[in-house]
Amino acid sequence: MTKIKNIFIILLFSLVVYACGDDNTFRNPFADVDHKALAISDNDSIVKFLKAHYYDDTVDSVKALLSGKTAMYNDSKLKIMDVTENEISYKLYIYVAKEGSAFPNSDKGFPKKVDSVFVKYSGRTFSGRTFAANAFDSNIIGIWFNLNSVIGGWTYGMTNFKGGSLKKDPSGGPFNGPITFLNSGKGVIFIPSGLAYPSSRIQNQSNSLVDTNLFFYIDLLDFVKDTDHDNDNVPSYKEDVDGDGDINNDDTDKDGIPNFFDADDDGDGVLTKNEDANGDGDPTNDFSDPNNPTLPDYLNPKIK
Ligand SMILES: [Ca+2]
Ligand SMILES: [Ca+2]
Ligand SMILES: [Ca+2]
Ligand SMILES: [Ca+2]
C-alpha cells in the first residue's frame, strides 16, 4: 500500500513538473532578452529610420524621404545625446524643429531633467501605430509632467527645448481668450526601447509598448524653472546630495522620502525652509556647526 502511495505521489509530482514546463504562464517571456544587444539593434533601427525620413515643417510631421529633401539623419536640427542607464549606453535622437523661447526678458533657458514641464505630445511606434492620450488634435491644452518621473527618453530629450509664453491679452485687461502659448519648443524625440519601457523593469512587462522603439512629437509649452517639489526653498536639482545626477537616491534622514520630496531633510523637526540662519531665503548657505562647517544646517540634525 505504501509503495502504491509513493508511486502515486511521484506520478503526481511529475505531472506538476510537466505542467510547469509546458505552460508559458509559468515562464517569464522576457527572461532571455539581452538588453545590451537590444540597445545596439535598436540604434541601428533608429538610424535607418532617420536616414529614410525627413521632417516636413509645413505640417510638423515626419515623412518618408523624397528627392530634394534632407533626411533627418543629415539635418543639422538633429541632436544626439549619449545616455547611460543601468550600465548600458544609449543614443537618444532629438529633432529640434523649433527650440522655443519665452519672451526675451523672461527667457528661462532650458529645463533641467528634474523640472516640471507643461507639454502637448503624441506618441508613435516606428511601424506607425499612434498611442498617447494627449494628442495634438484634442482640446487639451497640455499636461504637467515631472521630468524626474517619466521615461528616460523624455527626461533627457526634453532638456533640448525651451518653453514658450502664455499669450497675453493685448489690451492688458483680464484674460478672456483661448489659452495659447507662443514660441513653444517643438520637435520629435526618437527613443530606443531601453529608454522607453524596457522589460528589465517588471512593471513594464504588461505594457504593450515593452521593448519597443518609440518616437514622440512634443510641444513644450512651459516649464517651472528650478522646480522645488517640496517647497522647501531648495530647488529639486540641488537636492542631489551625493551629486550622482539622480535625486531619487538621496534621503538624508532615511525616512523613506527622498530629499526632493521631504520638507524636513534632516528629520530634526525644523522645516528645511526655516533652517535659514542668515535669513536670505536660501537654506543651502547656512553653516552653524563649528564641528562640521561644510554641512549646511538643513542637512545637519544637530542644528535646529
Ligand atoms: Ca543622488
Ligand atoms: Ca527637501
Ligand atoms: Ca540662508
Ligand atoms: Ca538641521
Side-chain angles (χ1 to χ4, degrees), residues 87-162:
E87 298 176 355
I88 299 177
S89 304
Y90 297 98
K91 285 197 189 300
L92 182 65
Y93 297 86
I94 306 106
Y95 188 85
V96 183
K98 290 194 186 88
E99 184 176 271
S101 73
F103 290 125
N105 294 335
S106 60
D107 189 350
K108 295 185 282 192
F110 296 95
K112 294 187 178 67
K113 65 189 183 73
V114 297
D115 286 343
S116 293
V117 296
F118 190 55
V119 60
K120 192 151 190 161
Y121 68 96
S122 181
R124 301 275 190 286
T125 65
F126 279 60
S127 58
R129 183 178 143 212
T130 302
F131 59 92
N134 178 218
F136 280 85
D137 52 6
S138 75
N139 291 323
I140 298 164
I141 300 157
I143 294 181
W144 282 104
F145 287 100
N146 174 4
L147 283 187
N148 186 48
S149 55
V150 290
I151 58 172
W154 272 51
T155 304
Y156 293 93
M158 212 62 79
T159 63
N160 293 279
F161 299 92
K162 293 177 178 178

Side-chain angles (χ1 to χ4, degrees), residues 27-38 199-200 205 211:
R27 197 181 148 264
N28 176 358
F30 300 103
D32 300 331
V33 174
D34 178 346
H35 289 275
K36 228 170 203 168
L38 185 60
S199 58
S200 51
Q205 293 182 356
D211 287 343

Side-chain angles (χ1 to χ4, degrees), residues 275-286:
E275 298 218 44
D276 181 20
N278 65 9
D280 68 348
D282 177 4
T284 66
N285 59 9
D286 305 275

Side-chain angles (χ1 to χ4, degrees), residues 228 230-232 234 239 258-265 272 298:
D228 180 2
D230 54 8
N231 289 315
D232 65 356
V234 180
E239 302 236 36
N259 285 10
F260 79 100
F261 264 138
D262 192 340
D264 175 10
D265 292 294
T272 291
Y298 80 101

